[in-house]
Amino acid sequence: MNIKKYKALFFVLLPFLGYSQSNPLELWYTKPASQWEETLPLGNGRLGIMPDGGIETEKLVLNDITLWSGSPQDANNYKAFSFLPQIRELLLANKNSDAEKLINENFVCTGPGSGSGDGANVQFGCYQVLGNMTLKFDYKTKPKAINYNRSLNIQTALASTQFTIDGVTYKREYFASFGDDVLLVKLTSSKRGKLNFTVQLDRPEHFKTEIGNDNSLVMTGQLNNGIEGKGMKYKSKVKAQVKDGNVLYSNNLIEVRNATEVILYISAGTDFKDKSFESSVDKILDVAMQKKYDDQKKTHIQNYQKLFNRVALNFGKPVQKTLPTSERLEAFLKEPDSDTQLPVLFYQYGRYLSISSTRVGLLPPNLQGLWAHQVQTPWNGDYHLDVNVQMNHWALETGNLSELNLPLKDLVKGMVPYGEKTAKAYYNADGWVAHVITNVWGFTEPGESASWGIAKAGSGWLCNNLWNHYLYTNDKDYLAEIYPIIKGAAQFYKSMLVKDPETGWLVTSPSVSPENSFLLPNGQDAHVCMGPTIDNQIVRELFNDVITASKKLGIDKDLSNDLEQRLKLLPPPGVISPDGRIQEWLKPYKEPDAQHRHISHLYGLYPASLITPESTPDLAEAAKKTLEVRGDDGPSWSIAYKMLFWSRLKDGNRAYKLLKTILRPTLATNINYGAGGGVYPNLLSAGPPFQIDGNFGAAAGIGEMLVQSHAGFIELLPAMPDVWLTEGEVKGLKAEGNFTINIKWEKGKVTQYEVLSPVPTKVKVKVNGELKEITSSKL
Ligand code: FUC
């Protein structure tokens, strides 16, 4: 059945079915969530809400993407540069452990840095939960609920809970409005006057609640800035609109009695970028409450669908009747091939999570996107620059959500002045640099420990994301905007590279291969080195991009010539080790952990396109060997990354195997660095703990299995697993050059395709293994 007909049928059937079991784009459950990792994430790019669907007590976790503890700081060690020559000499003398010691003493950030990932009360700060809204219900009897259903429809961005007690059906509907910027919860009872409950707001610390003089429940507070305590301020406010019965505002509670319908409006904000946030919170709430709920909901769905509906996907026959999502995951584990729609759901869920966790003009999704339930979020819920924040954006261009890359560009732009200070303090270098972690306060210094904190690839890797948006959009104004950023990053590397006397290559020093270690000839474990492969690849790619940009913009000819000369002196995109793998370091060191979660030395394969089966077949073979040794497990982001690598190596069955691994159900929340990634019942990815990069990375992986366009041509279905090839259809994916792609396939062959663009353009397309030049059709 084609997608249009299928969708039409779905909409016709929906009112009759009432229930969600037949909607392929729905998560649903027959029980309330028993831990946070089972609750359903809703968000409008700024505000988030996660209802647990509780019967007697419902807890709804609230988020605001700007709510961070900590404050701006200057943690640069301005004496660091004087130690650089000595550090470099020690590395040249193969005294890596001595170099590492010296770095720990004199070349990391000043102060506690990230606080070892527990930085809520230091200046680095932490992304924190905004609060909990708790609803306590009184059913007058001990409630025995039947017909329980809890669901999240990702086609409409609406969640709901429904159950029946003593013949009364209670319904709750929740959304984070893409219309007015508020959160809404609508509660109804099928019989008159059956809703009796209280509403309460709190959070683990730094809060005060009161009843506002406009009949509202208000929670305010100020987080710790890591110095004397006075950090970011926030306010959240709840008002109720009630049909029948009455509502009281007293004792820091909203109390609803004998109502038939209640709509709770929640407005929130912080002083992160809005100094008059308190009155903004009030105003937004008042405006939202003047609209009818149904109109509010309609606008919400329309605005959400403007982005979501750009892509439709179908891998064969839709499942007629699906199981509740948690059982469906168990069933998929046993018999994955019988549920080809779960990967479709997981792909679209990735797009749903992107739309919900970021918006143009605000912040990019952090380690947990928008959703956190603690004041000490794991790893501070920060922006990790050695794969995680980059992965959070990898599904966006192919997934036709291009503009959602702009918040990352804004974050990076804001980092530049801080990164310039860091470049000077540590390397006396031009341009700007960022190391491994950043926050909303512009942190660019090395992390507090040499073993991971000295990585040099952060700023360069961010430039890959910025550049990628240009490749997909061809937007020249955007190119002019990012040019100073990528130029500054290139200038940093240009002025700090040193010559490796053994090879004659220009390399970074000191650096690390992200978070990994190697063995020195004397058996010692070491991290710090010169010229790890990822740095070499990033510098090569960045210099090339700056050269291309300067030519396109017709500026900086001298710089571009200079970079062209330097490119000749860089290490190649990969060196093949004696055992046939891509070497991770400049030297063929032995690794203590051959299955380490980071696979940074394949950066050239993805996200860069320095290694491809067509242009560098030997390196592509070596990449395969690298991946065989690394294995197919890890935290979810690592599994997702491997999925992307195998897609680029055109092995669809292997990529699918990794996707199946990510979809392993788990409820574990312990911090894991090894094997064991999976998904929670709410399909959020588990490192564990919850970390959203696995969701976005896997969505990017599925995109890459369907269309690739990084090697100078568009390839349709380049890495499909056998099980998806029977029949299917995809509409609205994007390829580099601002092309929109529609494909239909059957029995392993593309049967129809369209390549569309704003202006018909000649483009090379590989279809069913045949490379041809076509002219795109007008979009
Ligand atoms: C890096 C990874 C960890 C985790 C953390 C947030 O340190 O190595 O697995 O994802 O980031």
Side-chain angles (χ1 to χ4, degrees), residues 416-477:
V416 171
Y418 296 95
E420 285 172 346
K421 283 191 182 170
T422 303
K424 278 269 167 305
Y426 292 78
Y427 313 93
N428 196 24
D430 300 333
W432 71 281
V433 63
H435 292 82
V436 191
I437 43 171
T438 195
N439 51 14
V440 294
W441 312 118
F443 192 89
T444 52
E445 293 87 344
E448 63 267 26
S449 167
S451 63
W452 55 271
I454 199 69
K456 218 44 87 267
S459 34
W461 196 333
L462 287 167
C463 291
N464 169 278
N465 285 67
L466 267 49
W467 182 251
N468 209 33
H469 180 71
Y470 167 69
L471 289 181
Y472 275 79
T473 56
N474 281 345
D475 181 343
K476 226 171 158 193
D477 293 338

Side-chain angles (χ1 to χ4, degrees), residues 513-571:
S513 186
E515 304 183 34
N516 205 358
S517 67
F518 52 88
L519 296 175
L520 290 170
N522 64 8
Q524 260 181 337
D525 204 21
H527 305 84
V528 175
C529 64
M530 290 170 62
T533 300
I534 184 173
D535 288 11
N536 305 335
Q537 295 172 341
I538 280 181
V539 172
R540 169 174 293 278
E541 182 194 35
L542 180 63
F543 283 7
N544 269 316
D545 294 346
V546 172
I547 293 166
T548 308
S550 84
K551 286 186 182 153
K552 292 229 182 255
L553 296 169
I555 51 176
D556 279 346
K557 205 159 186 294
D558 290 349
L559 174 70
S560 155
N561 288 340
D562 182 340
L563 293 179
E564 258 166 27
Q565 292 314 309
R566 274 171 216 260
L567 269 176
K568 296 180 193 150
L569 303 170
L570 296 180

Side-chain angles (χ1 to χ4, degrees), residues 255-326:
E255 192 176 345
V256 173
R257 287 190 194 148
N258 305 325
T260 312
E261 178 188 296
V262 180
I263 303 167
L264 298 175
Y265 291 83
I266 305 125
S267 176
T270 74
D271 66 356
F272 176 55
K273 277 193 175 158
D274 178 7
K275 294 306 156 208
S276 53
F277 72 103
E278 285 161 312
S279 57
S280 307
V281 167
D282 295 344
K283 250 185 253 151
I284 292 172
L285 191 68
D286 291 344
V287 170
M289 288 187 79
Q290 274 155 28
K291 284 201 194 116
K292 283 204 188 103
Y293 179 83
D294 286 344
D295 292 341
Q296 186 77 248
K297 183 169 146 184
K298 205 166 142 199
T299 313
H300 160 73
I301 295 174
Q302 272 168 357
N303 289 348
Y304 168 71
Q305 290 188 341
K306 271 183 211 153
L307 284 98
F308 185 76
N309 285 356
R310 289 177 191 167
V311 173
L313 182 57
N314 175 23
F315 294 152
K317 287 190 187 58
V319 180
Q320 285 314 309
K321 193 171 188 297
T322 65
L323 294 165
T325 307
S326 27

Side-chain angles (χ1 to χ4, degrees), residues 692-725:
I692 206 159
D693 39 22
N695 287 96
F696 293 140
I702 295 174
E704 209 72 15
M705 290 157 91
L706 294 162
V707 175
Q708 291 181 21
S709 58
H710 58 282
F713 57 91
I714 298 171
E715 184 165 359
L716 309 184
L717 311 185
M720 289 288 275
D722 298 335
V723 57
W724 294 350
L725 276 171

Side-chain angles (χ1 to χ4, degrees), residues 366-420:
N366 57 51
L367 278 172
Q368 298 197 171
L370 160 69
W371 300 280
H373 69 129
Q374 292 157 297
V375 288
Q376 181 56 68
T377 304
W379 293 287
N380 300 320
D382 70 11
Y383 298 103
H384 262 55
L385 311 180
D386 61 350
V387 69
N388 314 87
V389 77
Q390 289 90 349
M391 183 176 282
N392 280 1
H393 295 79
W394 286 344
L396 293 174
E397 296 296 341
T398 45
N400 211 335
L401 296 171
S402 185
E403 64 268 54
L404 298 184
N405 260 315
L406 298 175
L408 180 67
K409 179 263 300 167
D410 292 340
L411 184 87
V412 177
K413 202 177 189 175
M415 287 162 69
V416 171
Y418 296 95
E420 285 172 346

